[in-house]
Amino acid sequence: MSIEPDPAPGHRAVENLIARYAELVDDGDFAGLGDLLADATFIGSGAPVRGAEAIERMFRETLIVYADGTPRTQHVTSNVAIEVDERAGTADARSYVTVLQALPEVPLQVIAAGRYRDRFERRGGRWRFVERRVRMRLVGDVSRHLRRGTA
């Protein structure tokens, strides 16, 4: 199966990748996250993780998933600033993330807020993540989101 070039301009393609990450996390689609970040290094609170299988495994081992197959979260990405070098096929992005969670026994609440720093490259005509840095600055009650020992 050949991969078609991305018809979107760099800024839009990068924006779409940032949004897709939030959708996949909130849907509990960890295989999709592995694919999305397959060419990237993920840098969070633990050791950097690289490669589709390792990234998928990291999410499966870190996040609590409920009966509906999701972590019952909503990742809201805002203050997105993107700088694209179309000629070089590279882009950098900065954004804020706010993570909300609701469960039948717990009302909707903000459980974390922080920032993403991302790098992207256009490869084979398609934009891809090459690095995602996650820095949570404010952390609330993540006891129903993160498995023990992963906070």
Side-chain angles (χ1 to χ4, degrees):
M1 179 173 131
S2 67
I3 297 176
E4 295 293 320
D6 193 337
H11 281 87
R12 178 60 64 193
V14 165
E15 240 177 1
N16 289 345
L17 289 170
I18 292 168
R20 185 71 182 136
Y21 173 89
E23 293 168 348
L24 292 168
V25 173
D26 294 335
D27 288 346
D29 184 349
F30 303 140
L33 282 164
D35 182 53
L36 182 73
L37 299 172
D39 298 327
T41 300
F42 183 93
I43 303 164
S45 59
V49 181
R50 180 159 179 76
E53 289 180 15
I55 288 171
E56 177 182 351
R57 183 174 47 256
M58 185 240 349
F59 278 99
R60 286 189 191 286
E61 292 173 354
T62 302
L63 300 184
I64 297 169
V65 175
Y66 293 88
D68 67 353
T70 77
R72 305 280 304 165
T73 56
Q74 188 77 44
H75 284 66
V76 180
T77 310
S78 61
N79 299 11
V80 180
I82 301 169
E83 297 169 11
V84 176
D85 183 336
E86 291 284 356
R87 291 186 71 210
T90 60
D92 294 303
R94 302 178 316 278
S95 55
Y96 284 21
V97 58
T98 305
V99 184
L100 301 111
Q101 187 178 44
L103 297 162
E105 67 280 5
V106 179
L108 179 66
Q109 61 181 322
V110 174
I111 60 169
R115 293 186 180 176
Y116 294 141
R117 296 282 305 208
D118 300 315
R119 289 188 313 109
F120 303 86
E121 288 181 4
R122 189 176 52 230
R123 296 179 181 168
R126 296 202 59 82
W127 286 92
R128 300 286 290 178
F129 275 95
V130 293
E131 184 177 272
R132 167 147 275 199
R133 289 181 180 266
V134 179
R135 182 172 176 214
M136 288 300 168
R137 294 179 160 206
L138 306 171
V139 178
D141 182 359
V142 293
S143 64
R144 293 172 189 87
H145 181 54
L146 300 178
R147 297 185 189 280
R148 291 182 195 260
T150 59

